[in-house]
Protein backbone atom coordinates (compact mmCIF):
# COMPACT_ATOMS: atom_id res chain seq x y z
CA UNK A 1 0.00 0.00 0.00
CA UNK A 2 2.73 2.43 1.01
CA UNK A 3 4.85 1.54 -2.05
CA UNK A 4 1.85 2.05 -4.32
CA UNK A 5 1.07 5.45 -2.81
CA UNK A 6 4.72 6.48 -3.07
CA UNK A 7 4.87 5.39 -6.70
CA UNK A 8 1.67 7.28 -7.49
CA UNK A 9 3.01 10.46 -5.86
CA UNK A 10 6.28 10.15 -7.78
CA UNK A 11 4.43 9.73 -11.08
CA UNK A 12 2.25 12.75 -10.35
CA UNK A 13 5.27 14.85 -9.39
CA UNK A 14 6.98 13.86 -12.63
CA UNK A 15 3.95 14.86 -14.67
CA UNK A 16 3.70 18.19 -12.82
CA UNK A 17 7.37 18.88 -13.53
CA UNK A 18 6.86 18.15 -17.21
CA UNK A 19 4.06 20.73 -17.35
CA UNK A 20 6.14 23.28 -15.43
CA UNK A 21 8.96 22.89 -17.92
CA UNK A 22 6.52 23.77 -20.70
CA UNK A 23 4.72 26.58 -18.84
CA UNK A 24 6.15 27.55 -15.48
CA UNK A 25 3.25 29.89 -14.69
CA UNK A 26 0.50 27.37 -15.39
CA UNK A 27 -2.44 27.85 -13.02
CA UNK A 28 -3.50 25.21 -10.53
CA UNK A 29 -6.93 24.74 -12.12
CA UNK A 30 -5.46 24.26 -15.58
CA UNK A 31 -2.78 21.92 -14.21
CA UNK A 32 -5.41 19.80 -12.42
CA UNK A 33 -7.50 19.60 -15.60
CA UNK A 34 -4.52 18.59 -17.75
CA UNK A 35 -3.43 15.87 -15.35
CA UNK A 36 -6.93 14.62 -14.57
CA UNK A 37 -6.63 14.97 -10.80
CA UNK A 38 -8.32 17.19 -8.24
CA UNK A 39 -7.18 20.75 -7.64
CA UNK A 40 -6.41 20.14 -3.92
CA UNK A 41 -4.18 17.18 -4.84
CA UNK A 42 -2.34 19.17 -7.50
CA UNK A 43 -2.04 22.19 -5.20
CA UNK A 44 -0.55 20.09 -2.40
CA UNK A 45 2.06 18.42 -4.61
CA UNK A 46 2.88 21.69 -6.39
CA UNK A 47 3.51 23.42 -3.07
CA UNK A 48 5.87 20.63 -2.03
CA UNK A 49 7.75 20.73 -5.33
CA UNK A 50 8.14 24.50 -5.30
CA UNK A 51 9.22 24.79 -1.67
CA UNK A 52 11.24 21.66 -0.97
CA UNK A 53 11.35 19.89 -4.32
CA UNK A 54 14.12 19.42 -6.88
CA UNK A 55 13.20 22.38 -9.11
CA UNK A 56 12.74 26.12 -9.12
CA UNK A 57 10.65 28.03 -11.65
CA UNK A 58 12.40 30.99 -13.27
CA UNK A 59 12.10 33.31 -16.22
CA UNK A 60 14.74 32.71 -18.89
CA UNK A 61 15.70 35.59 -21.18
CA UNK A 62 17.97 35.55 -24.23
CA UNK A 63 21.32 36.98 -23.04
CA UNK A 64 21.49 39.63 -25.77
CA UNK A 65 18.08 40.94 -24.68
CA UNK A 66 19.60 41.93 -21.34
CA UNK A 67 22.88 43.21 -22.75
CA UNK A 68 25.04 40.09 -22.52
CA UNK A 69 26.75 39.86 -25.90
CA UNK A 70 30.05 38.06 -25.20
CA UNK A 71 29.54 34.40 -24.30
CA UNK A 72 31.87 31.43 -23.93
CA UNK A 73 32.00 27.77 -22.94
CA UNK A 74 35.04 26.94 -20.80
CA UNK A 75 36.40 23.43 -20.20
CA UNK A 76 38.59 23.29 -17.11
CA UNK A 77 41.20 20.81 -15.92
CA UNK A 78 42.10 20.83 -12.23
CA UNK A 79 44.86 19.71 -9.89
CA UNK A 80 42.73 19.75 -6.74
CA UNK A 81 39.44 18.01 -5.83
CA UNK A 82 37.04 19.08 -8.55
CA UNK A 83 34.14 19.97 -6.23
CA UNK A 84 36.31 22.47 -4.38
CA UNK A 85 37.45 24.11 -7.61
CA UNK A 86 33.90 24.11 -8.99
CA UNK A 87 32.64 25.97 -5.92
CA UNK A 88 35.26 28.67 -6.45
CA UNK A 89 34.34 29.03 -10.11
CA UNK A 90 30.63 29.13 -9.28
CA UNK A 91 31.21 32.03 -6.88
CA UNK A 92 32.01 34.32 -9.83
CA UNK A 93 29.02 36.51 -10.72
CA UNK A 94 29.42 36.33 -14.51
CA UNK A 95 29.40 32.52 -14.51
CA UNK A 96 25.76 31.35 -14.82
CA UNK A 97 26.48 27.65 -15.30
CA UNK A 98 28.97 25.22 -13.73
CA UNK A 99 28.88 21.45 -14.13
CA UNK A 100 30.99 18.46 -13.16
CA UNK A 101 31.42 16.29 -16.23
CA UNK A 102 32.85 13.05 -17.53
CA UNK A 103 35.57 13.00 -20.15
CA UNK A 104 38.83 14.84 -20.64
CA UNK A 105 37.76 17.91 -18.66
CA UNK A 106 36.10 17.31 -15.29
CA UNK A 107 34.62 20.79 -15.05
CA UNK A 108 32.68 22.97 -17.51
CA UNK A 109 31.55 26.55 -17.02
CA UNK A 110 29.78 29.15 -19.12
CA UNK A 111 30.60 32.86 -19.17
CA UNK A 112 28.07 35.57 -20.11
CA UNK A 113 29.31 39.16 -20.15
CA UNK A 114 28.40 42.46 -21.86
CA UNK A 115 31.51 42.58 -24.05
CA UNK A 116 34.87 41.00 -25.00
CA UNK A 117 36.87 42.92 -22.41
CA UNK A 118 34.68 41.66 -19.61
CA UNK A 119 34.86 38.16 -21.08
CA UNK A 120 38.67 38.27 -21.11
CA UNK A 121 38.65 39.49 -17.51
CA UNK A 122 36.32 36.65 -16.50
CA UNK A 123 38.66 34.12 -18.11
CA UNK A 124 41.59 35.64 -16.20
CA UNK A 125 39.63 35.25 -12.96
CA UNK A 126 38.95 31.59 -13.72
CA UNK A 127 42.60 30.90 -14.58
CA UNK A 128 43.77 32.52 -11.35
CA UNK A 129 41.53 30.34 -9.14
CA UNK A 130 43.47 27.98 -6.91
CA UNK A 131 43.19 24.46 -8.34
CA UNK A 132 42.59 25.45 -11.97
CA UNK A 133 45.36 23.83 -14.02
CA UNK A 134 44.27 24.61 -17.59
CA UNK A 135 41.33 26.03 -19.54
CA UNK A 136 40.07 25.51 -23.08
CA UNK A 137 37.64 28.14 -24.33
CA UNK A 138 34.97 28.08 -27.02
CA UNK A 139 33.71 31.55 -27.94
CA UNK A 140 30.08 31.69 -29.10
CA UNK A 141 29.78 33.24 -32.54
CA UNK A 142 26.03 32.57 -32.56
CA UNK A 143 23.73 31.40 -29.76
CA UNK A 144 21.22 29.41 -31.80
CA UNK A 145 19.17 27.68 -29.08
CA UNK A 146 19.44 28.79 -25.48
CA UNK A 147 18.07 26.93 -22.45
CA UNK A 148 14.32 27.52 -22.45
CA UNK A 149 14.48 28.77 -26.06
CA UNK A 150 13.68 32.45 -25.40
CA UNK A 151 13.48 34.79 -28.40
CA UNK A 152 16.10 37.45 -28.92
CA UNK A 153 14.58 40.92 -28.46
CA UNK A 154 16.12 44.25 -29.36
CA UNK A 155 16.43 46.92 -26.69
CA UNK A 156 13.94 49.03 -28.67
CA UNK A 157 11.14 46.55 -27.89
CA UNK A 158 11.47 46.69 -24.09
CA UNK A 159 11.59 49.58 -21.65
CA UNK A 160 12.65 50.13 -18.05
CA UNK A 161 9.41 48.70 -16.65
CA UNK A 162 9.82 45.56 -18.75
CA UNK A 163 13.37 45.21 -17.48
CA UNK A 164 12.28 45.47 -13.85
CA UNK A 165 9.62 42.82 -14.41
CA UNK A 166 12.13 40.56 -16.19
CA UNK A 167 14.54 40.94 -13.28
CA UNK A 168 11.90 39.70 -10.83
CA UNK A 169 10.80 36.85 -13.11
CA UNK A 170 14.40 35.67 -13.49
CA UNK A 171 14.45 35.11 -9.73
CA UNK A 172 10.88 33.77 -9.36
CA UNK A 173 9.00 32.78 -12.48
CA UNK A 174 5.76 32.26 -10.54
CA UNK A 175 5.81 35.58 -8.69
CA UNK A 176 2.28 36.93 -8.30
CA UNK A 177 1.22 39.99 -10.27
CA UNK A 178 0.89 41.83 -6.96
CA UNK A 179 4.51 40.99 -6.06
CA UNK A 180 5.67 41.89 -9.56
CA UNK A 181 3.81 45.20 -9.38
CA UNK A 182 5.34 46.09 -6.01
CA UNK A 183 8.87 45.25 -7.14
CA UNK A 184 8.52 47.06 -10.48
CA UNK A 185 6.69 50.10 -9.14
CA UNK A 186 3.48 49.73 -11.11
CA UNK A 187 -0.07 48.43 -10.73
CA UNK A 188 -0.98 44.70 -10.71
CA UNK A 189 -3.06 45.22 -13.86
CA UNK A 190 -0.18 46.80 -15.73
CA UNK A 191 2.20 44.12 -14.46
CA UNK A 192 -0.14 41.44 -15.77
CA UNK A 193 -0.47 43.03 -19.21
CA UNK A 194 3.28 43.52 -19.52
CA UNK A 195 4.20 40.04 -18.32
CA UNK A 196 1.70 38.36 -20.64
CA UNK A 197 3.10 40.34 -23.57
CA UNK A 198 6.67 39.38 -22.68
CA UNK A 199 5.61 35.72 -22.49
CA UNK A 200 3.48 35.81 -25.66
CA UNK A 201 6.33 37.35 -27.66
CA UNK A 202 8.79 34.76 -26.31
CA UNK A 203 11.00 37.43 -24.72
CA UNK A 204 10.84 35.47 -21.48
CA UNK A 205 10.24 31.74 -21.10
CA UNK A 206 8.98 30.63 -17.70
CA UNK A 207 10.26 27.14 -17.04
CA UNK A 208 11.25 24.75 -14.26
CA UNK A 209 14.99 24.17 -13.84
CA UNK A 210 16.42 21.46 -11.64
CA UNK A 211 18.12 22.85 -8.55
CA UNK A 212 21.91 22.42 -8.53
CA UNK A 213 22.98 19.36 -6.59
CA UNK A 214 19.58 17.70 -6.91
CA UNK A 215 19.17 14.39 -8.70
CA UNK A 216 17.75 15.05 -12.17
CA UNK A 217 14.94 13.05 -13.69
CA UNK A 218 16.80 13.09 -17.00
CA UNK A 219 20.35 13.01 -18.36
CA UNK A 220 22.16 15.97 -19.88
CA UNK A 221 24.83 15.11 -22.45
CA UNK A 222 27.01 17.76 -24.03
CA UNK A 223 28.67 17.45 -27.42
CA UNK A 224 31.13 19.30 -29.61
CA UNK A 225 31.25 19.08 -33.40
CA UNK A 226 33.92 19.79 -36.00
CA UNK A 227 32.68 20.24 -39.53
CA UNK A 228 33.79 20.87 -43.08
CA UNK A 229 32.34 23.80 -44.96
CA UNK A 230 30.13 26.48 -43.45
CA UNK A 231 28.80 25.83 -39.94
CA UNK A 232 25.69 27.83 -40.88
CA UNK A 233 24.71 24.99 -43.21
CA UNK A 234 24.97 22.39 -40.46
CA UNK A 235 23.38 24.05 -37.45
CA UNK A 236 19.80 23.86 -38.82
CA UNK A 237 20.26 20.10 -39.13
CA UNK A 238 21.66 19.79 -35.60
CA UNK A 239 18.78 21.88 -34.28
CA UNK A 240 16.35 19.15 -35.37
CA UNK A 241 17.96 16.49 -33.15
CA UNK A 242 15.55 15.09 -30.53
CA UNK A 243 16.10 16.34 -27.01
CA UNK A 244 18.34 19.24 -28.08
CA UNK A 245 17.98 22.12 -25.61
CA UNK A 246 21.11 24.15 -26.27
CA UNK A 247 23.14 24.89 -29.40
CA UNK A 248 25.80 27.47 -30.21
CA UNK A 249 28.15 28.00 -33.13
CA UNK A 250 31.62 28.42 -31.66
CA UNK A 251 35.19 29.50 -32.36
CA UNK A 252 37.80 27.15 -30.94
CA UNK A 253 38.44 23.42 -30.99
CA UNK A 254 34.80 22.81 -32.03
CA UNK A 255 32.64 24.57 -34.59
CA UNK A 256 29.46 23.97 -32.57
CA UNK A 257 28.58 22.87 -29.06
CA UNK A 258 25.24 21.61 -27.79
CA UNK A 259 23.37 19.76 -25.05
CA UNK A 260 20.92 16.88 -25.35
CA UNK A 261 18.45 16.04 -22.57
CA UNK A 262 16.90 12.59 -22.35
CA UNK A 263 15.48 10.15 -19.82
CA UNK A 264 17.50 7.23 -21.27
CA UNK A 265 21.16 7.18 -22.25
CA UNK A 266 20.26 4.74 -25.04
CA UNK A 267 18.51 7.62 -26.77
CA UNK A 268 21.72 9.64 -26.67
CA UNK A 269 23.56 6.87 -28.54
CA UNK A 270 21.02 7.07 -31.38
CA UNK A 271 21.13 10.87 -31.44
CA UNK A 272 24.93 10.98 -31.58
CA UNK A 273 24.89 8.39 -34.37
CA UNK A 274 22.50 10.64 -36.29
CA UNK A 275 24.82 13.58 -35.69
CA UNK A 276 27.90 11.69 -36.91
CA UNK A 277 26.02 10.64 -40.05
CA UNK A 278 25.42 14.24 -41.15
CA UNK A 279 27.52 14.83 -44.25
CA UNK A 280 29.53 17.90 -43.13
CA UNK A 281 30.44 16.42 -39.72
CA UNK A 282 34.11 15.46 -39.31
CA UNK A 283 34.23 14.68 -35.58
CA UNK A 284 31.89 14.47 -32.59
CA UNK A 285 33.04 14.50 -28.98
CA UNK A 286 30.64 14.10 -26.05
CA UNK A 287 30.52 14.28 -22.27
CA UNK A 288 27.93 13.64 -19.57
CA UNK A 289 26.97 16.35 -17.10
CA UNK A 290 27.28 14.46 -13.83
CA UNK A 291 26.45 17.15 -11.26
CA UNK A 292 25.25 20.70 -11.86
CA UNK A 293 26.94 22.97 -9.35
CA UNK A 294 25.32 26.20 -10.55
CA UNK A 295 22.59 27.20 -12.99
CA UNK A 296 21.49 30.78 -12.56
CA UNK A 297 20.69 33.11 -15.46
CA UNK A 298 19.50 36.12 -13.48
CA UNK A 299 22.42 38.54 -13.76
CA UNK A 300 20.83 41.49 -15.55
CA UNK A 301 23.11 44.44 -16.36
CA UNK A 302 21.64 47.88 -16.88
CA UNK A 303 20.57 48.57 -20.44
CA UNK A 304 20.45 51.80 -22.43
CA UNK A 305 16.78 52.39 -23.13
CA UNK A 306 15.59 53.86 -26.39
CA UNK A 307 11.93 54.57 -25.82
CA UNK A 308 10.00 56.23 -23.05
CA UNK A 309 8.67 54.06 -20.27
CA UNK A 310 4.88 53.81 -20.43
CA UNK A 311 2.57 52.44 -17.78
Amino acid sequence: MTASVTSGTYDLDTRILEELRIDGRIGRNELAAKLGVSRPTVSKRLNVLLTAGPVHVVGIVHPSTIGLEALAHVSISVDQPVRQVAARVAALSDIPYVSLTSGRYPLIAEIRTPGPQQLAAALDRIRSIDGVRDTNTLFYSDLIIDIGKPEQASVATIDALDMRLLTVLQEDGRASYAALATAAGTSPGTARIRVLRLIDEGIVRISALSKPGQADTEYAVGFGVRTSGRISGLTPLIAELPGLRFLAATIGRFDAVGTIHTTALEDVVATLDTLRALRPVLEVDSWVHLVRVKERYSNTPALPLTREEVS
Side-chain angles (χ1 to χ4, degrees), residues 253-264:
R253 73 186 191 279
F254 298 127
D255 300 307
V257 64
T259 307
I260 300 165
H261 288 250
T262 179
T263 56

Side-chain angles (χ1 to χ4, degrees), residues 90-300:
L92 301 177
S93 62
D94 39 19
I95 309 294
Y97 184 85
V98 179
S99 175
L100 309 185
T101 59
S102 63
R104 177 182 175 187
Y105 295 97
L107 181 58
I108 284 176
E110 187 180 64
I111 303 174
R112 299 190 175 195
T113 61
Q117 290 183 332
Q118 293 93 333
L119 180 59
L123 280 170
D124 281 345
R125 286 192 290 273
I126 291 175
R127 295 189 189 102
S128 60
I129 287 175
D130 189 28
V132 171
R133 185 169 64 85
D134 184 30
T135 62
N136 191 295
T137 304
L138 296 168
F139 298 97
Y140 297 175
S141 57
D142 185 15
L143 181 56
I144 300 160
I145 298 175
D146 196 16
I147 295 297
K149 300 183 179 180
E151 297 291 336
Q152 182 176 354
S154 70
V155 70
T157 65
I158 56 177
D159 61 18
L161 177 55
D162 292 329
M163 285 301 303
R164 291 197 294 272
L165 292 168
L166 288 173
T167 298
V168 178
L169 289 171
Q170 286 181 292
E171 293 290 343
D172 179 5
R174 291 184 66 87
S176 69
Y177 292 119
L180 285 160
T182 299
T186 188
S187 69
T190 296
R192 181 179 184 278
I193 292 171
R194 290 300 191 94
V195 168
L196 291 178
R197 179 184 70 82
L198 292 169
I199 292 173
D200 289 343
E201 294 180 4
I203 294 172
V204 60
R205 302 288 190 188
I206 312 297
S207 182
L209 297 179
S210 297
K211 292 177 181 176
Q214 295 281 345
D216 285 330
T217 57
E218 56 186 14
Y219 299 98
V221 177
F223 64 85
V225 177
R226 288 199 312 112
T227 179
S228 60
R230 295 178 180 272
I231 187 62
S232 59
L234 178 63
T235 51
L237 302 177
I238 299 177
E240 297 299 319
L241 293 174
L244 187 77
R245 292 195 191 167
F246 177 85
L247 179 64
T250 56
I251 300 170
R253 73 186 191 279
F254 298 127
D255 300 307
V257 64
T259 307
I260 300 165
H261 288 250
T262 179
T263 56
L265 287 176
E266 291 83 355
D267 296 336
V268 177
V269 175
T271 299
L272 293 178
D273 277 344
T274 300
L275 181 57
R276 294 186 190 97
L278 296 176
R279 184 176 297 276
V281 170
L282 298 175
E283 178 187 353
V284 176
D285 191 13
S286 63
W287 51 90
V288 177
H289 292 273
L290 302 172
V291 178
R292 281 177 310 98
V293 177
K294 181 181 182 181
E295 187 170 23
R296 182 183 176 87
Y297 301 102
S298 58
N299 292 332
T300 308

